[in-house]
Amino acid sequence: MVVSRLTLASPTEEVSSARLSDEVELYQRTYNTLLRSSGETALRVLESAHRQINSSLHPLAGSDEPDLGAFIYAIRRLPDRISGARLVIMGQEAEVFAANGIVIDEWEEADAPARRRRWHDAGDGTHAVLLASASDVDDLIPTLVAFQIEWNKLRVRQRAAGWPPDSEPSPEECAGALGGSGEDWARLRAAWGARFHERLRLIAERSMSLRVRMLGGTHVGYARMTRRWWTPVHDALAEQGLGHAPMYFVSSNTHSLVNIATGIARQREQVLVDFVETLPPSDILSEELSAFREGRAEGSWENFLYFAARLYFDSHGEDGREARRRSEQECGVSHLRSRTALRVPAQIIPLAKLMRDRLDPRLGDVDADALADSDAVIVNIDYPLGLAAYNILREVAVDAAMLKGVYVLGKAATLNADVGDVMLSSVVHDEHSGSTYWLDNAFGVDDLAADLRFGSGLDNQRAVTVKSTFLQNRSYLDFYYREAFTVVEMEAGPYCNALYEIADADRHPVGEAVNFSKLPLDFGIIHYASDTPYTQARTLGARGLSYYGMDSTYASSLAILRRILRLEGALG
């Protein structure tokens, strides 16, 4: 088929500067050209460009005042031992490192709490990180720069104040001596845990002066790595006789769809209630259990069980998580972990293996016979970052000729709603390609309103796919807000670019308006609000979605599974 498209006129000077300000473009060009060098680059040469962009995520970058919000955001996206690092080497695959005489397989693996990125620590201050797409560069470099800027600010303030004291200071004492708020210092102490006082001493003793080096970074390398990621999924589908089955591709998370489809938590209802009763009275689950018993709870009992189940299985360590995986496999769900730089786990869910009596009752009256007769399979992945979404969907489409639906569930910043709300977009502008996609979104508010207890559903929204969380400033956001683009996220645009190549003979367009009203498959995009960038305190760096934020995730996942069941004739 042919997708309707229209080449846009050359943007006006105002639009051009608003899409990516001169300062942001300069910052990107600076680090991308520096990383072409075969040697090491001092990160400090990027600090001036970083400050000049006036990032909405790092508003105090150019001030002497500590920006603990940006510091905590960076800490959660970097491995713990980055505090002692001197060199970060970036590359796509272990083979690229080996070709340069660096055998990272012998190094200790490391993780970051809020980024699924594969790190290796040599133990001598050298860290290696595997990149899944060009978006990882746009995400990682500003994060490292922000970390270094704030580290050195705190060092200067500590040395001026004769800090740190001999005993661990309270958050209020930190705020009084070094600046920032007591609340932010409490969150920093929570992030560092028992190492808080040790880290304060390290900051006072050592100036942060990181160096970076890039190995590879080619488009072919990213495509090859994506194929290596998909190969185990392809093989698992073939082993189950699903290699040519009709496929529904879902990009969401690894818990909500599986919980809804398998009933693992609801089967253990009493066990989970007993577990919650052992928690402290101040715990949110203890309070919520009391509210359910007293008839004053606003949330869903199913969601309560799902949240409790995660804590219950995690409390039993790896044995508990393995027991959960076995139970889900008995219900037909296969889990596949990634061993590549593309750290995106996948799940295979054959519809015919699902048991009607174990499905979440909120789905509705599912036809057991129609479900058993379905030959379709759901491939669900944990949402990727940025351009990795394009690489993944394109690889899936190349391999799966019977792709029937693509559904994207991800988090986004909102310029007009609140944390926990659900946004359904009919327009997506992609900063990578400069193209704008007009959608006939498969989902509307009516598809999930009944399951939203704490948030609101907003359809007919407009989304903009940005290149990085740090590469935004207030004028940038103001421009999009004036143009009614109120959903700010990182994956929808690349997914639309890949979808275009599924539907049309050409490669995805650049700088064009594209009509997606008629596609050869079903397509839906749902975002839940996790950040409000106009209020810096309301970001995932400052607060998690927690128990109440789960409401929007499950309402969205229910809508996706209902849609699939209806298309398969198993739900009226």
Side-chain angles (χ1 to χ4, degrees):
M1 74 174 283
V2 177
V3 178
S4 300
R5 51 193 264 199
L6 175 67
T7 302
L8 300 175
S10 297
T12 64
E13 184 178 343
E14 176 190 6
V15 172
S16 179
S17 63
R19 284 176 58 189
L20 270 180
S21 70
D22 290 342
E23 292 82 5
V24 173
E25 286 191 345
L26 173 63
Y27 189 20
Q28 285 186 288
R29 282 200 303 269
T30 301
Y31 63 69
N32 281 324
T33 52
L34 288 172
L35 291 175
R36 292 176 183 172
S37 170
S38 60
E40 300 172 7
T41 299
L43 204 64
R44 67 174 180 273
V45 303
L46 295 172
E47 290 185 10
S48 176
H50 183 98
R51 293 186 178 99
Q52 288 297 316
I53 68 173
N54 295 314
S55 171
S56 58
L57 199 61
H58 197 183
L60 300 179
S63 168
D64 292 335
E65 182 74 18
D67 192 333
L68 294 178
F71 193 41
I72 295 168
Y73 186 95
I75 285 170
R76 288 185 49 76
R77 284 151 182 81
L78 296 170
D80 182 65
R81 288 171 65 179
I82 199 72
S83 299
R86 59 174 181 81
L87 172 65
V88 175
I89 307 174
M90 299 173 287
Q92 294 163 304
E93 299 173 290
E95 291 84 352
V96 175
F97 286 88
N100 286 270
I102 304 170
V103 185
I104 62 173
D105 290 338
E106 298 175 358
W107 298 4
E108 182 180 349
E109 290 192 24
D111 288 298
R115 276 289 184 265
R116 297 190 309 274
R117 199 170 279 139
R118 205 174 293 280
W119 289 81
H120 295 264
D121 181 1
D124 61 357
T126 302
H127 288 252
V129 58
L130 297 180
L131 306 178
S133 75
S135 292
D136 278 339
V137 178
D138 291 328
D139 181 72
L140 180 58
I141 292 297
T143 300
L144 287 169
V145 175
F147 177 78
Q148 178 165 295
I149 287 174
E150 294 306 320
W151 176 287
N152 289 332
K153 278 189 199 177
L154 291 176
R155 178 175 182 270
V156 170
R157 292 219 164 196
Q158 285 203 95
R159 291 173 69 86
W163 267 49
D166 293 334
S167 59
E168 181 172 314
S170 69
E172 290 72 23
E173 289 173 326
C174 292
L178 306 177
S181 70
E183 180 182 356
D184 282 342
W185 279 103
R187 292 192 297 109
L188 180 56
R189 185 168 68 174
W192 276 337
R195 297 178 301 279
F196 178 69
H197 196 210
E198 171 192 328
R199 288 292 155 80
L200 288 180
R201 288 197 297 267
L202 183 60
I203 290 174
E205 295 167 0
R206 178 179 179 270
S207 174
M208 180 66 65
S209 183
L210 285 168
R211 303 179 73 83
V212 293
R213 181 186 177 191
M214 171 69 90
L215 303 177
T218 65
H219 287 287
V220 170
Y222 291 128
R224 180 172 57 246
M225 183 267 301
T226 305
R227 178 152 296 182
R228 289 183 177 180
W229 167 84
W230 175 251
T231 297
V233 185
H234 166 91
D235 293 343
L237 287 167
E239 288 173 8
Q240 297 183 42
L242 300 168
H244 301 286
M247 180 188 296
Y248 295 94
F249 175 81
V250 182
S251 173
S252 60
N253 55 63
T254 57
H255 60 86
S256 58
L257 202 61
V258 172
N259 276 331
I260 290 168
T262 63
I264 298 301
R266 288 179 291 106
Q267 282 184 301
R268 293 164 172 77
E269 180 173 330
Q270 190 55 53
V271 172
L272 296 178
V273 169
D274 293 342
F275 169 73
V276 171
E277 288 176 338
T278 67
L279 300 176
S282 59
D283 189 280
I284 181 63
L285 286 182
S286 295
E287 296 175 358
E288 196 70 5
L289 180 59
S290 297
F292 275 111
R293 285 171 168 168
E294 295 167 12
R296 53 183 177 84
E298 298 179 51
S300 160
W301 178 247
E302 287 79 11
N303 289 356
F304 172 83
L305 293 177
Y306 298 151
F307 196 85
R310 185 184 70 178
L311 297 180
Y312 170 77
F313 285 111
D314 284 348
S315 70
H316 290 77
E318 188 54 39
D319 289 342
R321 289 186 284 272
E322 181 59 32
R324 178 170 195 155
R325 283 191 288 269
R326 285 196 304 270
S327 296
E328 290 170 348
Q329 286 172 352
E330 292 170 3
C331 296
V333 178
S334 301
H335 294 266
L336 296 127
R337 298 176 181 175
S338 170
R339 300 189 181 279
T340 69
L342 190 54
R343 205 166 184 180
V344 176
Q347 298 164 333
I348 297 173
I349 310 174
L351 290 179
K353 291 187 177 181
L354 298 180
M355 292 170 269
R356 179 184 178 278
D357 60 337
R358 293 192 181 182
L359 296 174
D360 191 304
R362 292 173 293 178
L363 287 169
D365 187 14
V366 177
D367 186 327
D369 293 333
L371 185 64
D373 290 340
S374 173
D375 57 355
V377 61
I378 298 172
V379 173
N380 177 55
I381 68 167
D382 211 347
Y383 68 91
L385 179 73
L387 287 170
Y390 167 81
N391 295 332
I392 286 174
L393 183 53
R394 194 176 186 280
E395 182 64 27
V396 171
V398 166
D399 191 53
M402 292 288 288
L403 194 59
K404 293 187 67 175
V406 173
Y407 308 108
V408 179
L409 168 60
K411 60 186 177 184
T414 175
L415 304 184
N416 65 340
D418 199 3
V419 170
D421 288 343
V422 176
M423 295 88 70
L424 306 167
S425 298
S426 55
V427 181
V428 174
H429 175 72
D430 176 42
E431 282 284 3
H432 299 281
S433 65
S435 292
T436 302
Y437 293 88
W438 300 79
L439 320 176
D440 183 13
N441 199 330
F443 303 105
V445 167
D446 290 344
D447 294 314
L448 44 80
D451 300 310
L452 278 175
R453 303 293 182 89
F454 301 112
S456 302
L458 305 169
D459 56 10
N460 299 313
Q461 301 298 294
R462 294 184 176 187
V464 55
T465 299
V466 299
K467 294 184 177 182
S468 167
T469 52
F470 274 103
L471 299 181
Q472 307 162 37
N473 54 35
R474 184 60 183 249
S475 61
Y476 175 100
L477 295 173
D478 284 347
F479 168 77
Y480 279 115
Y481 195 23
R482 290 196 302 271
E483 297 298 315
F485 286 86
T486 57
V487 181
V488 183
E489 56 83 63
M490 292 187 66
E491 289 80 38
Y495 273 129
C496 286
N497 290 336
L499 194 59
Y500 182 93
E501 296 179 8
I502 294 172
D504 198 275
D506 292 337
R507 193 173 184 272
H508 72 77
V510 174
E512 299 190 14
V514 182
N515 182 0
F516 264 5
S517 61
K518 294 182 180 179
L519 290 171
L521 48 77
D522 202 41
F523 182 47
I525 296 177
I526 305 175
H527 290 105
Y528 58 89
S530 60
D531 305 76
T532 55
Y534 276 152
T535 307
Q536 193 204 12
R538 301 295 303 279
T539 71
L540 279 180
R543 62 190 293 275
L545 286 179
S546 73
Y547 171 75
Y548 296 107
M550 182 180 58
D551 177 65
S552 55
T553 306
Y554 277 94
S556 303
S557 297
L558 285 163
I560 290 173
L561 189 51
R562 280 196 203 100
R563 180 77 177 183
I564 293 172
L565 292 173
R566 287 194 179 106
L567 291 175
E568 289 300 301
L571 187 63

